[in-house]
Amino acid sequence: MARNLATGQVSIANVAALANVSTATVSRVLSGQRDKDDDISRRVKEAAAKLNYSVNFAASSLRSDVTRTIGLVIPEISEEQTPTLLLNSLSAAIREANRYLLLAIGADAERQKEDLHSLLTRGIDGLIIISSNDENLVESLDEEYKNLPIVQIGGKSLTPHINWVGTDQSEAMRMTVDHLAEQGSHAIAYLSREIESYTAADLFTTFYTQSKALDLTPDPDWVQFGPCTMERGYQAAISLFQDRRVVPDAVVCASDSIAMGVLIACKHLGLDVPEDVKIIGYGDAPACEIAQPALTSIRPMYEEIAEESVSIICDWDTNKPRMAAYQAFKPELIYRESTWSPRTGSSDMTLPGTADN
Amino acid sequence: MARNLATGQVSIANVAALANVSTATVSRVLSGQRDKDDDISRRVKEAAAKLNYSVNFAASSLRSDVTRTIGLVIPEISEEQTPTLLLNSLSAAIREANRYLLLAIGADAERQKEDLHSLLTRGIDGLIIISSNDENLVESLDEEYKNLPIVQIGGKSLTPHINWVGTDQSEAMRMTVDHLAEQGSHAIAYLSREIESYTAADLFTTFYTQSKALDLTPDPDWVQFGPCTMERGYQAAISLFQDRRVVPDAVVCASDSIAMGVLIACKHLGLDVPEDVKIIGYGDAPACEIAQPALTSIRPMYEEIAEESVSIICDWDTNKPRMAAYQAFKPELIYRESTWSPRTGSSDMTLPGTADN
DNA sequence: ATGAAAGCGCTAACAA
DNA sequence: TTGTTAGCGCTTTCAT
């Protein structure tokens, strides 16, 4: 018999029979555990190819407790584009590592907790968490999962035994403020994330420090905390600029969505961007290219962050307890028209279509 | 012993022992196969809860050949937002159905074919495909997978034994043209997808028929086929409007990205939208709210499409060979400023922030 | 280095 | 209805 009658699937026994070796040898050859390139090896590989054999995943997992599967918990894909962009890169990295991606999208912390539990009981080799709110999902984990490699991307690193990969936010802020200063800004406003988010505090500190270092005057009223939505950006800009004697000449935003809102508000108020106000976003969402003027934005190193996260999980060795990783990548600043004054850059509307396909 | 020493996991045997029943009974109670609510049932459930038991996925799959996992093959998330929006809805539907989502993102047809093979050999209960190009991925499937439920979302239904779920494109086009006619348009241009895409032909046919029915004059030069990018929309609009004596007063676009490009081009050319030209997109991407003016767009029934797709897979009965499903949902037309003339609608820029959070 | 055989944890067939 | 038991397909130990 060439195949199991029930499932219609070729099993390792069929390969073993055809290659005239034991099932153990087939397993060893195909898993790369036995890498000698002799006659046996060739026979096994030929037999496997001929029968179109592929290992039964469930059986393999059951026996070896390895699933070749990485769980990913992310918040709902919405205005905030960062998770989406990261998802692309993560998927590519996981494919490269020859692993599978088990995805759970949970809008709020409650559902994310459910997702987490669900993935863990199902069985995965590692877990990647992109948490939008800085809630500590991992706190709720049972003891039995403490030796599973877990990587948190972004947010605040809360527990020392969780690997953290993300963007060097201080560096991001430094680049932002430096760039604006270079472009001639003196009075910078800062629309941050929610104050509860731990990163917000860090960013604010850097913003404040850097502003002072450059002899800029950060007006306390100009630093505001709130949600990462376009509406919030719009409202904040209105309150910053309307009926005010002293107004900022640049607005730094914690997300591209906020920046879009500011952009729209400026147009309504008849303010020229970048002549009167410079605007800078965060995330380098595709919409930055679309905006008019195109939006300068901080671009996290999505690919590097994804690859590093996957590497941590794939190279994990349970026996060798190493310290939790902490990898902060310096982001890129993507210069566009919203911070380029006509004198410095091109005032002509460049065609934005040459973006990524 | 309360748990297996090797894996640290509680097994069904532990639960059986604590509840004083056989493992088979535990399995039956917990799987819902035995739904009587008597003492045995209670004892089993209590024991399972007490020991924090959850079934071993690999063992269950191996034995029953059920993975509770749905594979999803999608193209890379890029300018084209539709797959992203659909992903959100699909994830929600899959969670609702108490299944897992195994995601494979493949930029081109070649990689999607790899993904497909990879998912199938791994073992899934059903497969959902969102193919951007209308390539027939499923043709390449081995015979042994022919009884696996496969759902294709969107694109052209190519093989009769594949379930198809998507948008009623003819209806979409009808709504579009009707709306434009109502708004007073007489000369409509149509920027379609690539001509190779099968849907393009359908849409064009509807566009042509409907235009004629409404006594509009579809100029052959005004129907163009091409990629769904902003750049293409820009270039197309330039060629439509620049140095022409007769120009369209409305542009129907096969994607929001194209529409964005047209919008930008119109601004460059000094054309007022919607006064001089009305523009309508497809997909209702978040960017439609951002655009200035906000972009009218056709919105597919993302939630319904997702739920239907998942239902087909979950309700699949291999024994009962039924006909392949074909479910076309009528889309919504989201009216925004790009097709509302000041006389008809509001010329005042409404705040777009009230969108989905 | 290779083969024989145990057994991962569960479900389903069969027996009571 | 419940229990007993075989066995899903693989990996891995142990014996050769």
Side-chain angles (χ1 to χ4, degrees):
Chain A
M1 57 158 183
R3 40 185 70 207
N4 180 305
L5 294 175
T7 62
Q9 283 289 351
V10 182
S11 94
I12 201 171
N14 307 129
V15 179
L18 185 58
N20 248 318
V21 291
S22 72
T23 59
T25 302
V26 173
S27 175
R28 286 192 270 252
V29 169
L30 294 183
S31 73
Q33 196 184 120
R34 176 198 186 285
D35 54 356
K36 210 200 295 176
D37 188 20
D38 56 0
D39 188 53
I40 287 183
S41 172
R42 201 157 31 250
R43 254 160 45 216
V44 168
K45 283 171 183 162
E46 270 171 19
K50 190 167 178 181
L51 296 175
N52 198 18
Y53 169 78
S54 51
V55 299
N56 179 308
F57 219 85
S60 171
S61 304
L62 173 58
R63 185 58 235 248
S64 66
D65 222 44
V66 170
T67 60
R68 306 182 61 73
T69 302
I70 295 176
L72 176 59
V73 175
I74 59 173
E76 194 161 26
I77 299 169
S78 60
E79 261 196 65
E80 187 83 68
Q81 280 265 359
T82 320
T84 309
L85 299 174
L86 214 36
L87 177 58
N88 257 330
S89 301
L90 279 170
S91 167
I94 288 173
R95 157 208 287 284
E96 202 60 40
N98 206 11
R99 298 297 201 283
Y100 293 96
L101 168 56
L102 204 57
L103 177 68
I105 300 181
D108 48 59
E110 199 50 50
R111 258 177 287 195
Q112 283 180 24
K113 214 169 275 184
E114 285 172 29
D115 289 340
L116 201 62
H117 189 80
S118 163
L119 290 181
L120 289 171
T121 60
R122 186 190 192 281
I124 49 178
D125 292 348
L127 182 66
I128 299 176
I129 298 177
I130 306 175
S131 177
S132 55
N133 40 46
D134 287 273
E135 180 129 6
N136 191 349
L137 282 176
V138 186
E139 282 291 278
S140 58
L141 281 189
D142 290 335
E143 270 304 318
E144 45 186 319
Y145 298 116
K146 288 289 184 194
N147 59 352
L148 187 84
I150 301 177
V151 176
Q152 183 189 336
I153 296 184
K156 179 78 176 182
S157 163
L158 293 166
T159 26
H161 58 275
I162 296 277
N163 304 283
W164 188 94
V165 179
T167 297
D168 184 337
Q169 301 289 9
S170 300
E171 185 61 34
M173 186 54 84
R174 212 169 297 130
M175 291 164 75
T176 302
V177 175
D178 284 359
H179 170 63
L180 289 175
E182 254 174 53
Q183 298 294 313
S185 295
H186 300 287
I188 305 178
Y190 174 38
L191 302 181
S192 170
R193 300 180 163 254
E194 284 93 344
I195 185 78
E196 309 89 51
S197 129
Y198 289 82
T199 35
D202 279 4
L203 279 171
F204 171 62
T205 310
T206 311
F207 170 71
Y208 198 83
T209 313
Q210 191 67 6
S211 296
K212 286 213 134 177
L214 293 171
D215 265 341
L216 310 173
T217 47
D219 186 319
D221 281 359
W222 293 351
V223 176
Q224 299 177 1
F225 301 86
C228 288
T229 63
M230 222 161 57
E231 168 148 34
R232 181 268 178 124
Y234 183 90
Q235 300 294 4
I238 295 288
S239 83
L240 275 174
F241 291 105
Q242 208 164 37
D243 307 324
R244 292 270 195 158
R245 287 190 315 119
V246 185
V247 296
D249 57 11
V251 183
V252 174
C253 305
S255 88
D256 290 330
S257 295
I258 299 175
M260 294 292 176
V262 174
L263 203 60
I264 293 173
C266 286
K267 289 210 178 178
H268 283 196
L269 296 170
L271 296 166
D272 183 81
V273 178
E275 199 53 42
D276 302 326
V277 186
K278 299 188 186 356
I279 304 176
I280 189 162
Y282 186 98
D284 193 35
C288 292
E289 297 266 1
I290 298 174
Q292 296 186 63
L295 196 65
T296 295
S297 188
I298 288 281
R299 181 184 174 81
M301 306 299 275
Y302 293 115
E303 291 81 8
E304 285 79 359
I305 290 173
E307 279 161 22
E308 177 65 18
S309 304
V310 173
S311 292
I312 289 175
I313 288 173
C314 294
D315 301 346
W316 195 257
D317 186 351
T318 314
N319 304 322
K320 181 182 60 184
R322 54 167 166 177
M323 263 196 26
Y326 187 93
Q327 266 289 6
F329 288 93
K330 182 178 159 180
E332 289 176 299
L333 181 54
I334 310 294
Y335 307 97
R336 296 202 185 86
E337 293 138 13
S338 72
T339 59
W340 271 10
S341 90
R343 292 182 305 273
T344 336
S346 150
S347 76
D348 206 359
M349 178 69 71
T350 55
L351 174 63
T354 37
D356 45 336
N357 71 324
Chain B
M1 54 159 186
R3 41 184 70 206
N4 180 306
L5 293 175
T7 61
Q9 284 289 351
V10 182
S11 93
I12 199 171
N14 306 127
V15 179
L18 184 58
N20 249 317
V21 291
S22 71
T23 59
T25 302
V26 174
S27 175
R28 287 192 271 252
V29 169
L30 295 183
S31 72
Q33 198 183 119
R34 176 198 185 285
D35 54 357
K36 210 200 295 177
D37 188 20
D38 56 0
D39 188 54
I40 288 184
S41 171
R42 201 158 32 250
R43 252 157 50 213
V44 169
K45 282 171 185 163
E46 268 171 19
K50 190 168 181 180
L51 297 175
N52 199 16
Y53 168 79
S54 52
V55 298
N56 179 309
F57 220 86
S60 172
S61 303
L62 173 59
R63 184 61 235 244
S64 67
D65 223 45
V66 170
T67 59
R68 307 182 60 75
T69 301
I70 296 176
L72 176 59
V73 175
I74 59 172
E76 194 161 27
I77 299 168
S78 59
E79 260 196 68
E80 187 83 68
Q81 281 264 1
T82 320
T84 310
L85 299 174
L86 213 36
L87 178 57
N88 256 330
S89 301
L90 279 170
S91 167
I94 288 173
R95 157 209 287 282
E96 203 59 40
N98 206 11
R99 300 296 201 284
Y100 293 96
L101 169 56
L102 203 56
L103 178 67
I105 300 182
D108 48 58
E110 199 50 50
R111 258 177 287 193
Q112 284 181 23
K113 214 169 277 185
E114 283 172 30
D115 289 341
L116 201 61
H117 189 78
S118 164
L119 290 181
L120 289 171
T121 61
R122 187 191 191 279
I124 48 179
D125 292 349
L127 181 68
I128 299 176
I129 298 177
I130 306 175
S131 177
S132 56
N133 40 45
D134 287 273
E135 181 131 6
N136 190 350
L137 282 174
V138 186
E139 282 291 276
S140 58
L141 281 189
D142 292 335
E143 270 305 317
E144 46 186 318
Y145 298 116
K146 288 291 183 193
N147 58 354
L148 187 83
I150 301 177
V151 176
Q152 183 189 333
I153 296 184
K156 179 78 177 182
S157 163
L158 293 165
T159 27
H161 57 277
I162 296 279
N163 304 283
W164 188 94
V165 179
T167 298
D168 184 335
Q169 301 290 8
S170 300
E171 185 60 34
M173 185 55 84
R174 214 169 296 129
M175 291 164 76
T176 303
V177 175
D178 284 359
H179 171 63
L180 289 175
E182 253 175 55
Q183 297 295 314
S185 295
H186 300 287
I188 305 179
Y190 174 36
L191 302 181
S192 169
R193 301 180 162 252
E194 285 92 345
I195 183 79
E196 309 90 51
S197 127
Y198 289 82
T199 35
D202 279 3
L203 278 172
F204 171 61
T205 309
T206 311
F207 170 72
Y208 198 83
T209 314
Q210 191 67 6
S211 296
K212 286 213 137 180
L214 292 172
D215 265 339
L216 309 174
T217 47
D219 186 317
D221 280 0
W222 293 352
V223 177
Q224 298 177 2
F225 300 85
C228 287
T229 64
M230 220 160 59
E231 169 147 35
R232 181 268 179 123
Y234 183 90
Q235 301 293 3
I238 295 288
S239 84
L240 277 173
F241 291 104
Q242 206 164 39
D243 307 325
R244 293 269 194 158
R245 287 189 314 120
V246 185
V247 295
D249 57 12
V251 183
V252 174
C253 304
S255 88
D256 290 329
S257 295
I258 299 175
M260 293 293 176
V262 174
L263 203 60
I264 293 173
C266 286
K267 290 210 177 177
H268 284 197
L269 296 170
L271 295 165
D272 182 80
V273 178
E275 199 54 41
D276 302 326
V277 187
K278 300 190 184 356
I279 304 177
I280 190 161
Y282 187 97
D284 194 35
C288 291
E289 296 266 2
I290 299 173
Q292 295 186 65
L295 197 65
T296 294
S297 188
I298 289 281
R299 180 184 175 82
M301 307 298 276
Y302 293 116
E303 292 80 8
E304 285 79 359
I305 291 172
E307 279 162 23
E308 176 65 18
S309 304
V310 173
S311 292
I312 289 175
I313 289 173
C314 294
D315 301 345
W316 196 256
D317 185 350
T318 314
N319 305 323
K320 181 182 60 182
R322 56 166 166 177
M323 264 196 27
Y326 186 93
Q327 264 292 5
F329 288 92
K330 182 179 159 179
E332 289 176 299
L333 181 54
I334 310 293
Y335 307 97
R336 294 200 187 86
E337 295 138 12
S338 72
T339 58
W340 271 13
S341 91
R343 293 181 304 272
T344 334
S346 149
S347 77
D348 206 0
M349 177 71 68
T350 54
L351 174 62
T354 35
D356 44 338
N357 72 327

